[in-house]
Amino acid sequence: MVRRRFSFGLVSRLSSPIYGRSPCSGGIWTPCLGQKRSFMTAKDLVESEEPEKKVTNRINMFSAINQALHTVLDSDPKSYVFGEDVGFGGVFRCTTALRDKFGRHRVFNTPLCEQAIVGFGIGLASMGNRAIAEIQFADYIFPALDQIVNEAAKYRYRSGNLFNCGGLTVRAPYGAVGHGGHYHSQSPEAFFCHVPGIKVVIPRSPSQAKGLLLASIRDPNPVVFFEPKWLYRLAVEEVPVDDYTLPLSSAEVMRKGSDITLVGWGAQLAIMEEACDEVSKLGISCELIDLRTLIPWDKELVEDSVNKTGRLLVSHEAPVTGGFGAEIAASITNSCFLRLQAPVSRVCGLDTPFPLVFEPFYMPTKNKVSMIQHSKHTNCRISFQSMCG
Amino acid sequence: MNGSKSMLKLAAAALSKGLQESPLKSGLAEKGNFCRTVFLTRRYSAECSGKETNPTSKKSDSGEIDVEIPVKFDLHLLESGPSQVTTTNKEELMKIYTDMQIIRRAEIAADMLFKSQMIRGFCHLYDGQEAVSVGLERALSYDDNVITAYRDHGIFLGRGGTVFELFSELMGKRTGCALGKGGSMHLYHREHNFWGGWGIVGTTPPLGAGLAFGQKYEKKPNVTAAIYGDGAGNQGQLFEAQNLAALWNLPLILVIENNHFGMGTAEWRSSKKTTHYDRVSYIPGIKTDGMDVFAVGEAFKLCKEHCLSGKGPITLEADTYRYHGHSMSDPGSTYRSRQEIQGMRQERDPIERVRKIILKEELATNEELKDLDKQIRHEVDEASAKAREAEFPGEEELFANIYKADSGLIVTGCDRKHSKVQMS
């Protein structure tokens, strides 16, 4: 194994097997053949992981996801989409017209039983099928947590590769939506990032969603795919009409910069982009990275970026304590310690249950991000009062 | 009458079978169109067409009124059911009428408040199901525990919550029953043992089992009613709770408010077995007409006696109906026909039934009832206006009660160094 993990700041340019991000993966994740993984450094502008010029359509996120599902069901006769209310199109319209085209035996409703939905999906996937299970809201995924953690993540490992449920993809809308309250707004990605054996993927836009979903479904490991529900209708962009995948475990630099690195995923990136625009007026050049896959995450790219800028800020909607930002912070502090000019910052949701009327106070808003960006740059202290809003 | 009823049943069965087998074609299924109109046949114990709905009652000389309960109770593992006749009087009848009418008016007002965006988030309305809440209160006291799911406005009002507290909570105001922090799905009443208001489907049975255990342990002559809907009937934790309650002989009434739709999914699409009272081979059950407040009351009385005599849990299935959709974002007419909803209103409306008895027994005139309606409407409007004027909770509430207030506990915001709040 290439022990590239322990060289501060140095990035090995050797191509390596596409294993998971730990030196001793030993069969936890299966190499994904056919996916090119380039060693991107922050120095190189990341160009088209998007395919070369294709015919595109201007569509929103749920339509992009819908297209991806159509593509999968079209190309693989042993793929199935199931979940609560998916038959008529789903509460977010992501599964529109699938049942009409592919039939009730491949696109079907389940009763209201999340634990059984995922368990059933694991069984179906173990038979060599692509089981695409939908959990209606990520807030309701917890009954299924046992199946995901104890069964899906460990099947291949504990059977010595005799069996696996790599064909399983669990899709769930996550994140704040403005008025969701306690049980329609949660971001539970951190719970899943703690489980070796599954992958957690979160897209930020329609074109990303289509490519990443296709990659997730075709990845030979079980994947939990969180879709930012706020962006289902709100995010509209040109999305290639054909079949394309985006690589997993590969972060993307959204904008280059030299003063501070920002890392985020999902809907939060839009907020962070606004914050970057704001502080750029003060002359702070920000490098914005979309992590895309949370586990296994692209440590190299983030390390390269922090080695360039010397500062890191992570932002996510989930509460700050124990959120995935903590893992990134600890890891980068370990690997880039001598290069860091300031401690790693996390601008995240508050440590409260997701509130009802207090949502604007809870959320990591643009102002909070830009305040911290500024303070990181100038190393000055900001009071709580000026933080809110 | 019987012949035509069985013919109707056969025709209905054939039609529904046809619907099940053929792919659902609807001329409305265009791209982006939310509506797929599926006309369902109902499989009620009380059909909603051609049925005699004028309730029979008889007043005795002492002023007591015997009201017949037309729909037979269905029993599971029970020797005998409640009486098909219940006794009441003018005072009770007027109270029942008033209570149900308050729930009805409050729900209609909540509908309007939601549409004018004074209420945000989610709002699941209870109109049509008033008989369950008011019937429950006929049999249970405020010392009994009640816990329910997210369609809780009616239960909250039945448990003695005020309309003002309800509207305040819906609007997220400080004067709400949960200080505005819970919202529509999380209403509570501590003194009257209303334990909420729970958003996750299927969560109430095990919680109710815990409450019941507490009551039994403290040797209280009280029961717990854990209410859930037909959509929750297939959740794993329900089965676990049933076994627990039966194994430990808990005084738990498992109440299913079966309004036959889990969001937009009709019961026969989601469940192999569409009844709930007889699903468990070791827990007795009773099924009642949930649109008849007297039937519900008698059923609850039987259930309470059953539990308090140490026989363990019992299931009560209330065959009821909600007029509104699942929530305010659901028109409620894409998976059921308007005729069906209208039919329910005309033939099985719980308030109309009681009104007819009041008028028939000449306890009040039509005008008096109309005046009462107007008065209730006025009070509900006043409460709504007062709630609109009330304040939102202060910022300190954001961090309050995450834990029990430990002095010195620090709750952090983004980036610990720069934002902390010390709890006092």
Side-chain angles (χ1 to χ4, degrees):
Chain A
M1 292 277 183
V2 176
R3 286 174 68 81
R4 59 186 184 280
R5 197 111 287 63
F6 305 105
S7 51
F8 293 127
L10 287 176
V11 177
S12 164
R13 302 279 175 160
L14 296 172
S15 64
S16 75
I18 310 160
Y19 279 122
R21 292 296 166 171
S22 101
C24 41
S25 51
I28 297 174
W29 289 289
T30 291
C32 208
L33 302 171
Q35 274 189 356
K36 265 199 336 190
R37 200 200 66 145
S38 47
F39 270 90
M40 284 166 293
T41 67
K43 297 180 185 54
D44 314 309
L45 184 62
V46 173
E47 211 72 74
S48 43
E49 293 192 339
E50 324 282 348
E52 319 67 36
K53 202 46 234 130
K54 299 297 173 85
V55 179
T56 61
N57 257 340
R58 195 168 169 72
I59 55 174
N60 60 25
M61 188 179 266
F62 76 70
S63 305
I65 290 168
N66 188 242
Q67 276 186 18
L69 293 173
H70 270 274
T71 305
V72 169
L73 290 170
D74 232 345
S75 56
D76 186 347
K78 285 181 67 173
S79 51
Y80 310 87
V81 173
F82 51 92
E84 291 156 23
D85 296 314
V86 301
F88 82 93
V91 289
F92 292 110
R93 320 304 300 135
C94 293
T95 49
T96 317
L98 287 177
R99 187 169 63 177
D100 290 341
K101 190 161 171 212
F102 299 103
R104 315 174 143 267
H105 294 288
R106 295 180 65 198
V107 181
F108 50 90
N109 292 327
T110 59
L112 217 171
C113 45
E114 286 76 14
Q115 186 165 17
I117 290 171
V118 173
F120 165 90
I122 293 171
L124 189 59
S126 311
M127 298 284 289
N129 300 295
R130 294 196 201 282
I132 303 159
E134 175 177 305
I135 301 290
Q136 197 156 79
F137 283 87
D139 313 61
Y140 312 145
I141 204 170
F142 298 109
L145 192 60
D146 175 66
Q147 283 283 348
I148 294 172
V149 169
N150 281 328
E151 313 305 339
K154 300 175 165 76
Y155 203 5
R156 188 190 294 275
Y157 185 81
R158 70 174 194 249
S159 69
N161 208 17
L162 284 179
F163 291 101
N164 72 82
C165 58
L168 175 70
T169 307
V170 179
R171 296 177 37 244
Y174 89 102
V177 75
H179 53 268
H182 315 88
Y183 300 115
H184 297 81
S185 317
Q186 290 178 44
S187 302
E189 70 270 5
F191 294 104
F192 299 91
C193 291
H194 195 51
V195 188
I198 57 170
K199 296 192 177 181
V200 177
V201 179
I202 304 184
R204 69 169 186 272
S205 75
S207 63
Q208 293 286 315
K210 180 174 172 181
L212 288 171
L213 182 57
L214 284 167
S216 301
I217 292 171
R218 291 166 179 166
D219 189 284
N221 296 291
V223 175
V224 180
F225 190 85
F226 286 116
E227 302 162 357
K229 65 172 85 70
W230 207 335
L231 301 182
Y232 273 142
R233 288 178 198 271
L234 212 59
V236 180
E237 77 178 335
E238 297 291 334
V239 177
V241 302
D242 63 348
D243 184 347
Y244 68 96
T245 58
L246 297 172
L248 299 187
S249 295
S250 160
E252 183 178 358
V253 177
M254 288 170 65
R255 64 167 71 184
K256 273 190 356 170
S258 54
D259 293 328
I260 179 171
T261 301
L262 283 85
V263 174
W265 49 87
Q268 188 62 10
L269 285 164
I271 309 285
M272 292 161 83
E273 260 191 312
E274 284 178 28
C276 290
D277 287 338
E278 199 165 280
V279 298
S280 67
K281 297 183 198 136
L282 303 167
I284 300 172
S285 155
C286 305
E287 180 141 301
L288 182 60
I289 296 177
D290 176 8
L291 210 55
R292 301 202 296 191
T293 301
L294 267 61
I295 52 160
W297 62 287
D298 192 348
K299 280 194 193 127
E300 255 98 276
L301 187 130
V302 179
E303 282 167 8
D304 283 348
S305 173
V306 175
N307 282 329
K308 182 175 76 165
T309 63
R311 290 179 174 84
L312 175 62
L313 185 155
V314 186
S315 186
H316 56 71
E317 282 177 27
V320 60
T321 299
F324 193 60
E327 155 68 24
I328 299 174
S331 192
I332 295 295
T333 303
N334 186 47
S335 51
C336 304
F337 182 70
L338 294 178
R339 179 66 187 91
L340 283 169
Q341 309 262 354
V344 176
S345 284
R346 292 175 293 159
V347 183
C348 306
L350 303 177
D351 283 334
T352 71
F354 198 101
L356 205 51
V357 293
F358 294 116
E359 181 169 330
F361 294 96
Y362 168 93
M363 293 290 286
T365 55
K366 174 198 78 169
N367 286 347
K368 288 184 191 175
V369 177
S370 57
M371 282 283 184
I372 295 294
Q373 278 172 301
H374 189 233
S375 84
K376 283 294 115 189
H377 187 70
T378 57
N379 283 336
C380 67
R381 298 179 52 105
I382 311 270
S383 70
F384 178 62
Q385 285 316 109
S386 57
M387 285 289 310
C388 279
Chain B
M1 181 64 172
N2 276 344
S4 66
K5 208 158 56 158
S6 59
M7 285 279 287
L8 251 172
K9 270 196 181 147
L10 276 174
L15 179 60
S16 72
K17 190 156 184 292
L19 273 174
Q20 273 175 314
E21 283 170 0
S22 70
L24 283 167
K25 285 195 173 60
S26 165
L28 300 173
E30 289 142 25
K31 187 168 79 163
N33 191 319
F34 201 89
C35 302
R36 261 180 182 272
T37 312
V38 179
F39 287 80
L40 302 170
T41 56
R42 305 322 317 264
R43 300 188 193 161
Y44 286 137
S45 56
E47 280 96 15
C48 62
S49 55
K51 178 118 182 79
E52 176 62 48
T53 55
N54 284 327
T56 49
S57 55
K58 195 168 59 178
K59 187 157 36 173
S60 71
D61 295 327
S62 59
E64 292 207 324
I65 300 159
D66 290 334
V67 180
E68 189 210 337
I69 297 170
V71 177
K72 293 263 175 304
F73 296 96
D74 290 324
L75 303 176
H76 171 65
L77 302 182
L78 285 171
E79 300 271 304
S80 58
S83 157
Q84 298 286 153
V85 177
T86 189
T87 310
T88 179
N89 57 45
K90 171 176 177 180
E91 204 185 312
E92 263 188 16
L93 275 168
M94 294 309 292
K95 182 170 192 313
I96 287 171
Y97 180 85
T98 309
D99 288 344
M100 290 204 286
Q101 192 68 287
I102 287 176
I103 298 176
R104 177 69 59 92
R105 296 302 336 159
E107 294 300 76
I108 293 173
D111 180 326
M112 295 195 298
L113 284 171
F114 190 93
K115 285 179 176 145
S116 53
Q117 303 217 348
M118 313 255 17
I119 298 175
R120 309 237 31 237
F122 296 89
C123 196
H124 307 88
L125 296 177
Y126 199 74
D127 53 323
Q129 296 183 205
E130 296 88 355
V132 179
S133 167
V134 178
L136 183 157
E137 297 302 337
R138 260 171 83 68
L140 268 52
S141 75
Y142 286 155
D143 292 326
D144 295 308
N145 294 329
V146 175
I147 186 169
T148 187
Y150 51 79
R151 198 175 302 280
D152 57 349
H153 301 175
I155 303 282
F156 170 74
L157 292 173
R159 282 268 105 180
T162 64
V163 180
F164 172 63
E165 280 177 329
L166 170 66
F167 284 147
S168 299
E169 188 60 41
L170 292 178
M171 294 191 238
K173 300 293 175 85
R174 185 204 292 273
T175 42
C177 54
L179 303 176
K181 293 173 74 168
S184 163
M185 294 196 279
H186 307 106
L187 305 172
Y188 300 91
H189 201 300
R190 189 73 194 84
E191 293 79 33
H192 294 170
N193 288 309
F194 175 45
W195 298 76
W198 296 77
I200 298 294
V201 170
T203 200
T204 50
L207 294 165
L211 295 174
F213 186 95
Q215 284 173 324
K216 181 174 174 177
Y217 194 88
E218 295 176 21
K219 295 196 173 26
K220 289 193 173 153
N222 296 114
V223 298
T224 297
I227 307 175
Y228 58 100
D230 47 291
N234 301 314
Q235 273 282 322
Q237 49 187 329
L238 167 62
F239 300 106
E240 296 181 7
Q242 285 166 339
N243 180 55
L244 272 187
L247 186 64
W248 296 335
N249 251 1
L250 302 180
L252 177 67
I253 309 175
L254 291 155
V255 184
I256 303 112
E257 286 178 322
N258 189 350
N259 56 27
H260 308 280
F261 293 94
M263 272 187 15
T265 302
E267 55 191 351
W268 52 267
R269 288 205 293 129
S270 75
S271 306
K272 179 72 177 169
K273 187 165 167 49
T274 55
T275 53
H276 298 258
Y277 73 105
D278 55 352
R279 280 191 178 188
V280 189
S281 63
Y282 51 84
I283 297 182
I286 175 171
K287 180 170 161 189
T288 172
D289 179 1
M291 306 294 264
D292 179 351
V293 65
F294 304 108
V296 173
E298 289 304 311
F300 267 106
K301 276 193 196 127
L302 179 130
C303 288
K304 183 167 176 177
E305 275 162 25
H306 180 273
C307 290
L308 290 182
S309 62
K311 294 194 189 129
I314 186 169
T315 308
L316 192 163
E317 180 174 348
D319 177 352
T320 183
Y321 200 82
R322 52 166 164 79
Y323 295 146
H324 273 88
H326 162 74
S327 70
M328 289 306 299
S329 50
D330 172 18
S333 51
T334 56
Y335 47 85
R336 12 179 234 186
S337 66
R338 292 196 197 279
Q339 284 95 308
E340 178 184 296
I341 306 171
Q342 273 308 105
M344 282 293 154
R345 279 191 192 271
Q346 273 159 15
E347 293 168 19
R348 294 184 67 200
D349 185 88
I351 301 178
E352 278 313 299
R353 178 192 294 269
V354 176
R355 181 200 295 269
K356 279 180 185 155
I357 297 176
I358 292 175
L359 292 175
K360 175 171 178 286
E361 299 301 331
E362 291 167 357
L363 306 174
T365 63
N366 217 1
E367 277 62 44
E368 282 169 348
L369 284 180
K370 281 212 177 87
D371 283 338
L372 180 59
D373 289 347
K374 231 186 282 184
Q375 189 194 341
I376 291 172
R377 197 185 301 214
H378 178 70
E379 279 170 17
V380 165
D381 287 341
E382 255 185 26
S384 154
K386 213 166 128 206
R388 260 177 284 178
E389 301 302 315
E391 283 176 356
F392 283 105
E395 272 173 38
E396 66 284 353
E397 281 299 328
L398 174 53
F399 296 103
N401 294 312
I402 300 171
Y403 296 94
K404 179 151 172 57
D406 285 322
S407 109
L409 177 72
I410 294 176
V411 176
T412 55
C414 41
D415 197 333
R416 287 190 168 82
K417 292 194 296 302
H418 291 152
S419 55
K420 313 198 253 224
V421 170
Q422 182 129 16
M423 318 273 283
S424 53

